[in-house]
């Protein structure tokens, strides 16, 4: 490349990337002012909506940064139905790289962020690595220090997969009591670590229990594993920890790789369990039948569980973990979440892992999409819709819903990006290219 070419490229990168190019900013501001009037005609205050959307925390999943590998020396070997496919260069290989990548990704994602860790990402000192049932908060000291310094609260997950004791397909529901007890100790340890995160950050860390247990083919006994899972969960959750430090959640699933015929922790199982225990239920958008979406479940479940954790993912044929996008499902779920008026009981998070594209872009695509969907939800003139409904003017309700789809939403989104201090539009892509060149491609 010629010298001039490279200089021009760099200059345009930084101007577009920063979003501070004056012409660009004033074009965005002009478009926003017009959009503001258009929304005001429906009684919507765009300024308030932008602020409210920026204020909702989005929990970003650490595992997109390294293909759910973790730091146990597994080197890309996963199991228990967790399978990242693809071979894009630049995977984070240790905690420092993962933290650096996450920080860079955060600079592209507007609004409040949290970071979601798994037990696999412990960084114990010394040679002998403690077993997964022996891990303690001290093994996450680097994460906690980073979290405090960067003001990024942490969430957590026990890891019931990619482990020899998960190889037979059953963990907490295992008929082998030694296996089951190991995983019960693991689950209990994860809660103590999450609670330490909560203490450190001054707000609860969500600890989400998902297990892969299930059967490839039709089981003859569906009940016994479910009884064992119920009892194991009871044991794990019996440890009393200050509620201001930890929020317990359980995650259901329809099927996984190797558990096509039967999943112990199915939707009905955890729906019942979370309701009985008054804990949070995790709804992962990739964990239901292909035409089944989660939006309608939100208001139903909120009546019976303490709250919801939503994992935004994207099911595609056999996979439940494609990068989340601004889909009808995501938009419907965010709208429904807001309409319930219970946003304080709902945690928004991302759960996918794609190793075939730039991993930082994967983070940014999902998180920006989710923030967009939250903004769109905040911009809805819900009172108008409800009013039409109350008056049984259903044509009016439907017509308004249709009109709202073509509002100048993009202009408000760009303004949100500026207010959130991140690049508007597609400007962030050049920054990703720069980071790929200078950091990711140097990793061998
Ligand atoms: C798996 C669940 C679970 C995991 C993460 C890594 O199907 O969705 O949430 O994806 O914990
Ligand atoms: Zn999930």
């Amino acid at each position: 490349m010629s010298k001039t070419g490279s200089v021009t490229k760099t200059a345009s990168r930084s101007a577009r990337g920063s979003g501070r190019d004056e012409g660009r900013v004033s074009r965005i501001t002009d478009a926003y002012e017009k959009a503001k009037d258009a929304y005001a005609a429906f009684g919507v205050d765009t300024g308030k909506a932008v602020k409210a959307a920026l204020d909702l925390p989005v929990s970003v999943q650490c595992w997109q940064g390294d293909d759910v590998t973790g730091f146990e020396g597994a080197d890309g070997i996963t199991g228990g139905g967790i399978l990242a496919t693809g071979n894009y260069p630049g995977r984070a290989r240790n905690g420092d790289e993962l933290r650096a990548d996450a920080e860079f990704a955060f600079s592209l994602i507007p609004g409040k962020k949290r970071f979601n860790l798994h037990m696999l990402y412990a960084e114990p000192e010394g040679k002998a690595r403690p077993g997964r049932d022996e891990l303690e908060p001290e093994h996450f000291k680097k994460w906690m220090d980073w979290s405090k310094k960067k003001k990024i609260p942490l969430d957590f997950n026990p890891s019931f997969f990619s482990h020899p004791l998960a190889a037979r397909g059953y963990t907490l529901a295992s008929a082998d009591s030694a296996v089951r007890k190991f995983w019960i100790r693991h689950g209990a340890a994860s809660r103590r670590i999450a609670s330490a995160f909560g203490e450190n950050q001054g707000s609860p860390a969500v600890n989400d229990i998902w297990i892969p247990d299930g059967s490839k083919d039709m089981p003859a006994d569906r009940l016994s594993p479910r009884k064992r899972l119920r009892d194991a969960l009871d044991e794990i959750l019996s440890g009393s920890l200050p509620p201001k430090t930890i929020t317990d959640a359980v995650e259901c699933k329809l099927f996984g790789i190797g558990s096509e015929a039967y999943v112990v922790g199915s939707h009905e199982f955890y729906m019942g369990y979370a309701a009985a225990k008054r804990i949070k239920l995790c709804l992962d958008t990739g964990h239901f039948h292909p035409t089944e979406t989660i939006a309608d479940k939100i208001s139903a479940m909120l009546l019976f569980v303490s709250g919801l954790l939503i994992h935004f993912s994207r099911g595609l044929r056999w996979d439940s973990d494609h990068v989340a996008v601004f889909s009808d499902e995501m938009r419907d779920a965010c709208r429904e979440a807001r309409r319930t008026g219970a946003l304080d009981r709902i945690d928004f998070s991302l759960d996918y892992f794609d190793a075939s594209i730039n991993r930082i872009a994967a983070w940014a695509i999902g998180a920006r999409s989710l923030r967009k969907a939250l903004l769109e939800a905040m911009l809805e003139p819900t009172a108008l819709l409800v009013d039409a409904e109350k008056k049984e003017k259903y044509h009016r309700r439907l017509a308004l819903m249709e009109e709202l789809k073509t509002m100048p939403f993009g202009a408000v989104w760009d303004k949100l990006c500026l207010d959130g201090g991140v690049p508007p539009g597609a400007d962030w892509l050049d920054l990703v290219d720069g980071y790929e060149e200078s950091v990711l491609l140097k990793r061998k």
Side-chain angles (χ1 to χ4, degrees):
M1 186 191 294
S2 75
K3 207 169 177 193
T4 344
S6 98
V7 168
T8 316
K9 202 171 165 197
T10 316
S12 81
R13 237 177 221 167
S14 63
R16 288 164 58 205
S18 69
R20 294 289 168 242
D21 153 28
E22 269 178 33
R24 178 108 168 92
V25 171
S26 80
R27 277 192 302 279
I28 288 175
T29 317
D30 287 352
Y32 172 71
E33 288 303 323
K34 293 197 182 93
K36 201 168 136 184
D37 291 344
Y39 279 100
F42 286 102
V44 174
D45 181 333
T46 47
K48 269 195 191 151
V50 166
K51 205 183 157 308
L54 283 168
D55 256 5
L56 282 173
V58 165
S59 193
V60 177
Q61 78 288 33
C62 82
W63 50 92
Q64 168 58 61
D66 78 332
D67 316 337
V68 216
T69 307
F71 307 148
E72 293 182 344
D75 203 24
I77 301 162
T78 45
I82 298 283
L83 177 69
T85 54
N87 203 14
Y88 202 83
R91 172 172 82 77
R93 297 161 302 181
N94 54 53
D96 292 337
E97 289 181 355
L98 190 54
R99 282 182 284 272
D101 290 358
E103 281 172 38
F104 176 64
F106 291 163
S107 73
L108 311 172
I109 303 168
K112 280 198 184 149
K113 289 159 285 276
R114 305 172 64 87
F115 205 48
N116 197 2
L117 298 181
H118 242 280
M119 201 71 130
L120 293 174
Y121 296 81
E123 293 170 285
E125 279 173 14
K127 280 208 179 119
R129 210 185 151 89
R132 276 201 212 163
D133 57 337
E134 297 162 340
L135 288 163
E136 299 285 343
E138 66 181 88
H139 303 125
F140 287 86
K141 188 176 178 310
K142 281 193 185 169
W143 284 114
M144 284 195 270
D145 291 347
W146 177 77
S147 156
K148 205 158 212 174
K149 195 163 149 218
K150 302 286 167 192
K151 298 198 171 59
I152 295 284
L154 300 173
D155 291 314
F156 203 46
N157 305 257
S159 315
F160 294 95
F161 51 86
S162 308
H163 190 280
L165 289 181
R168 283 152 67 200
Y170 288 88
T171 62
L172 291 179
S174 173
D176 179 334
S177 76
V179 170
R180 206 168 60 246
K181 281 182 179 149
F182 171 86
W183 290 113
I184 290 173
R185 289 194 300 276
H186 173 72
S190 78
R191 291 187 70 240
R192 289 193 297 270
I193 295 165
S195 173
F197 289 177
E199 194 75 52
N200 186 54
Q201 64 210 22
S203 67
V206 180
N207 192 55
D208 177 45
I209 297 181
W210 170 75
I211 63 164
D213 300 28
S215 168
K216 183 185 174 79
D217 223 328
M218 294 170 288
D221 177 5
R222 291 171 184 263
L223 182 61
S224 302
R226 289 191 166 133
K227 279 186 179 159
R228 288 192 292 268
L229 176 55
R230 178 198 57 193
D231 295 347
L233 290 169
D234 283 354
E235 216 174 315
I236 292 173
L237 296 170
S238 68
S240 126
L241 294 162
K244 61 178 195 327
T245 62
I246 177 170
T247 304
D248 291 294
V250 286
E251 180 175 0
C252 59
K253 193 167 179 172
L254 175 67
F255 79 94
I257 306 166
S259 60
E260 289 84 359
Y262 168 71
V263 163
V264 184
S266 60
H267 181 41
E268 290 72 14
F269 176 91
Y270 280 124
M271 183 166 65
Y273 193 83
K277 297 282 160 176
R278 298 295 292 183
I279 58 174
K280 282 196 177 176
L281 177 68
C282 172
L283 299 173
D284 182 311
T285 58
H287 286 191
F288 296 89
H289 284 280
T291 57
E292 184 182 6
T293 59
I294 67 152
D296 183 56
K297 302 180 191 302
I298 295 174
S299 56
M301 290 315 304
L302 279 175
L303 295 177
F304 304 104
V305 297
S306 70
L308 295 170
L309 165 65
I310 304 181
H311 275 186
F312 284 96
S313 179
R314 178 165 44 110
L316 196 51
R317 305 198 191 285
W318 62 270
D319 180 50
S320 63
D321 297 291
H322 273 60
V323 177
V325 295
F326 187 64
S327 60
D328 284 350
E329 176 171 26
M330 178 188 272
R331 297 164 68 191
D332 286 343
C334 291
R335 256 195 297 268
E336 266 307 305
R338 183 193 174 210
R339 287 172 182 171
T340 61
L343 284 171
D344 56 333
R345 287 167 60 207
I346 304 175
D347 298 304
F348 296 91
S349 63
L350 301 168
D351 179 17
Y352 51 79
F353 30 96
D354 187 340
S356 75
I357 58 176
N358 180 299
R359 293 167 185 79
I360 287 164
W363 265 327
I365 293 164
R368 288 174 69 101
S369 300
L370 177 50
R371 186 73 65 197
K372 257 182 221 164
L374 292 170
L375 173 65
E376 191 187 41
M378 295 300 179
L379 286 167
E380 184 186 81
T382 312
L384 288 186
L385 303 175
V386 171
D387 185 58
E389 189 164 282
K390 276 189 187 151
K391 292 178 177 144
E392 296 180 30
K393 296 277 186 196
Y394 302 132
H395 61 281
R396 172 171 275 272
R397 181 184 61 186
L398 183 60
L400 284 172
M401 285 176 178
E402 283 301 287
E403 290 305 326
L404 292 171
K405 289 179 182 168
T406 48
M407 291 291 284
F409 172 67
V412 187
W413 165 249
D414 280 344
K415 177 68 163 52
L416 178 146
C417 288
L418 288 189
D419 287 3
V422 308
D427 299 7
W428 58 276
L429 281 170
D430 287 345
L431 299 176
V432 168
D433 287 348
Y435 190 83
E436 179 170 296
E437 242 167 75
S438 62
V439 181
L440 300 180
L441 293 179
K442 303 229 158 88
R443 292 177 190 162
K444 289 283 174 262

